[in-house]
């Protein structure tokens, strides 16, 4: 009899718990409380921001899923979440599209701050911060015995630098705050092309590319909201795939540019385009082929802000640097570097040193008509002088043979 009573008691408790949570996947022992900071999760994606709220404390507080809405837009069904009862605990899911984030009152603020990257280069960094809240409606009465629920969230998108995920939680029992960081890096690609049409990607032969071959490169954004443009801040090359390799050759940074590099488009659309001529690293001198890896530190900026982030070159730039008196604060974030390669270059089968190259490149000596006539005149004049000298010697020797021999007769003039 006692086991039967115990079983009935357990069944009654289960029924009462189920009635309390209306069939949702909630445990009365764990969820009979007001919301806490752990009840909201924020996922900052490239195209959407997803918010996941533990529905069980909301239900315990006396609200339903229809009472939760983004930024107080309780009359708009598009600003509400949906129940996912296939998880434990049951959750309310909100999905915010970055293309239409303003439709439910979310806020996007882009701020510019000075920073110094890992290479010691000063640069203006833009940060996009998406923020909003989820709350319950206020009752039409003067007082209420139900707590007002408020969930605050934000997503920080550094538009050049990558930072680690951080979390901030409120100590209030009925308010939860969750900050998180996202990255657009997965939407950016560094691609290589054959020519200026940027229609066909570069195909590198097995033997490598000849030196001084012009390569066209593009930093391209795909599946990214149209409000962002691509701004290439710094592009350089290394002999290895490591972007932090100490051995590097800069193609362009700010106003400094390699003479063989041409920038076609930057900060005007979702594609940055430039070209450079293929070279080899001298450290590969004992190898038949040299590997070159291309890296670009890239910013995303709003179309109206991109011109403000472009470098000011010339005398004005020098004057600003001279007048700068306060040091730029050190940024605590890393770098979003996009890499492409390797670009394989080939060298000749027979290595040549610089002196051999100078001899090969020296033009052959050729005589023009004036020089030829001058040389011929000198030769003829020399030949005629030689003949005249020989002829003079011949006449002189003949005259000596024709003179009479003195017989010893004294000249009376000398007597």
């Amino acid at each position: 009899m006692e086991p039967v009573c115990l079983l009935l008691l357990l069944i009654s408790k289960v029924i009462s718990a189920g009635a309390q949570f209306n069939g949702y996947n909630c445990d009365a022992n764990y969820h009979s409380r007001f919301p806490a900071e752990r009840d909201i999760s924020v996922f900052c994606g490239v195209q959407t921001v997803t918010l996941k709220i533990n529905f069980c404390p909301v239900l315990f507080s006396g609200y339903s899923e229809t009472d939760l809405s983004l930024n107080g837009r309780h009359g708009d069904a598009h600003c509400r979440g949906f129940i996912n009862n296939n998880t434990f605990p049951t959750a309310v899911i909100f999905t915010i599209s970055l293309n239409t984030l303003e439709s439910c009152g979310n806020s996007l603020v882009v701020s510019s701050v000075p920073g110094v990257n890992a290479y010691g280069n000063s640069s203006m960094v833009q940060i996009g911060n998406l923020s909003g809240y989820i709350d319950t409606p206020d009752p039409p009465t003067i007082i209420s015995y139900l707590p007002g629920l408020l969930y605050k969230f934000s997503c920080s998108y550094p538009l050049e630098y990558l930072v680690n995920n951080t979390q901030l939680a409120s100590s209030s029992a009925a308010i939860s705050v969750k900050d998180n960081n996202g990255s657009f890096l997965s939407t950016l690609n560094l691609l290589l092309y054959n020519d200026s049409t940027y229609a066909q990607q570069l195909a590198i032969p097995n033997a490598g590319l000849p030196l001084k071959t012009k390569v066209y490169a593009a930093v391209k954004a795909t599946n990214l909201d149209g409000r962002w443009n691509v701004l290439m801040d710094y592009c350089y090359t290394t002999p290895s795939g490591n972007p932090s390799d100490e051995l590097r050759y800069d193609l362009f940074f700010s106003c400094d540019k390699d003479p063989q590099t041409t920038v076609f488009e930057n900060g005007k659309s979702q594609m940055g385009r430039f070209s450079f001529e293929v070279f080899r690293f001298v450290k590969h001198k004992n190898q038949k082929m040299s590997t070159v890896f291309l890296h670009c530190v890239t910013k995303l900026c709003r179309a109206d802000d991109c011109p403000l982030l472009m470098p000011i070159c010339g005398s004005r730039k020098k004057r600003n640097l001279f007048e700068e008196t306060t040091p730029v604060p050190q940024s605590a974030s890393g770098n979003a570097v996009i890499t492409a390669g390797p670009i394989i270059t080939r060298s000749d089968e027979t290595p040549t040193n610089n002196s051999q190259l100078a001899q090969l490149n020296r033009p052959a000596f050729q005589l023009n008509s004036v020089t030829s006539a001058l040389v011929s005149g000198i030769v003829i004049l020399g030949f005629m002088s030689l003949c005249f000298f020989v002829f003079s010697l011949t006449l002189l020797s003949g005259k000596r043979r024709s003179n009479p021999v003195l017989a010893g007769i004294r000249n009376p003039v000398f007597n």
Side-chain angles (χ1 to χ4, degrees), residues 245 330 387 398 412:
D245 196 329
Q330 177 70 30
C387 293

Side-chain angles (χ1 to χ4, degrees), residues 166-182:
T166 57
Q167 174 178 323
L168 175 64
S170 169
S171 59
S172 173
I175 299 178
S176 298
V177 180
K178 194 68 171 281
D179 294 333
N180 217 338
N181 295 325

Side-chain angles (χ1 to χ4, degrees), residues 148-207:
L149 305 187
L150 178 64
Y151 300 85
K152 293 182 178 180
F153 65 91
S154 70
C155 281
S156 179
Y157 288 90
L159 302 183
E160 179 179 9
Y161 301 102
L162 298 177
V163 296
N164 294 328
N165 290 340
T166 57
Q167 174 178 323
L168 175 64
S170 169
S171 59
S172 173
I175 299 178
S176 298
V177 180
K178 194 68 171 281
D179 294 333
N180 217 338
N181 295 325
S183 171
F184 292 118
L185 181 62
S186 61
T187 68
L188 300 175
N189 295 285
L190 180 53
L191 304 175
L192 304 176
Y193 294 87
N194 282 327
D195 53 35
S196 59
T197 62
Y198 288 86
Q200 185 178 5
Q201 292 194 24
L202 178 67
I204 301 178
N206 295 331

Side-chain angles (χ1 to χ4, degrees), residues 34-209:
F34 291 125
E37 61 272 7
R38 63 180 180 273
D39 291 333
I40 180 174
S41 300
V42 181
F43 304 94
C44 302
V46 172
Q47 298 180 359
T48 60
V49 173
T50 303
L51 310 174
K52 183 179 179 181
I53 297 177
N54 184 350
F55 179 62
C56 298
V58 176
L59 191 63
F60 173 81
S61 300
Y63 296 98
S64 66
E65 71 276 9
T66 58
D67 293 324
L68 295 176
S69 184
L70 286 167
N71 304 297
R73 306 291 178 91
H74 300 284
D76 191 345
H78 295 91
C79 300
R80 299 173 186 166
F82 64 91
I83 285 286
N84 183 4
N85 203 26
N86 295 324
T87 63
F88 181 86
T90 299
V92 181
I93 308 297
F94 288 83
T95 302
I96 302 173
S97 173
L98 296 184
N99 293 325
T100 58
L101 59 90
E102 292 91 348
S103 61
C104 287
N106 300 295
S107 174
L108 175 65
V109 177
V110 177
S111 58
S112 299
V113 295
V116 178
N117 60 24
Y119 314 118
N121 298 323
S122 299
S123 178
M124 291 299 295
V125 180
Q126 281 198 323
I127 299 177
N129 185 271
L130 169 65
S131 62
Y133 62 89
I134 299 172
D135 66 345
T136 52
D138 293 327
T141 58
I142 298 177
I143 65 171
S144 175
Y145 293 98
L146 298 180
L149 305 187
L150 178 64
Y151 300 85
K152 293 182 178 180
F153 65 91
S154 70
C155 281
S156 179
Y157 288 90
L159 302 183
E160 179 179 9
Y161 301 102
L162 298 177
V163 296
N164 294 328
N165 290 340
T166 57
Q167 174 178 323
L168 175 64
S170 169
S171 59
S172 173
I175 299 178
S176 298
V177 180
K178 194 68 171 281
D179 294 333
N180 217 338
N181 295 325
S183 171
F184 292 118
L185 181 62
S186 61
T187 68
L188 300 175
N189 295 285
L190 180 53
L191 304 175
L192 304 176
Y193 294 87
N194 282 327
D195 53 35
S196 59
T197 62
Y198 288 86
Q200 185 178 5
Q201 292 194 24
L202 178 67
I204 301 178
N206 295 331
L209 295 173

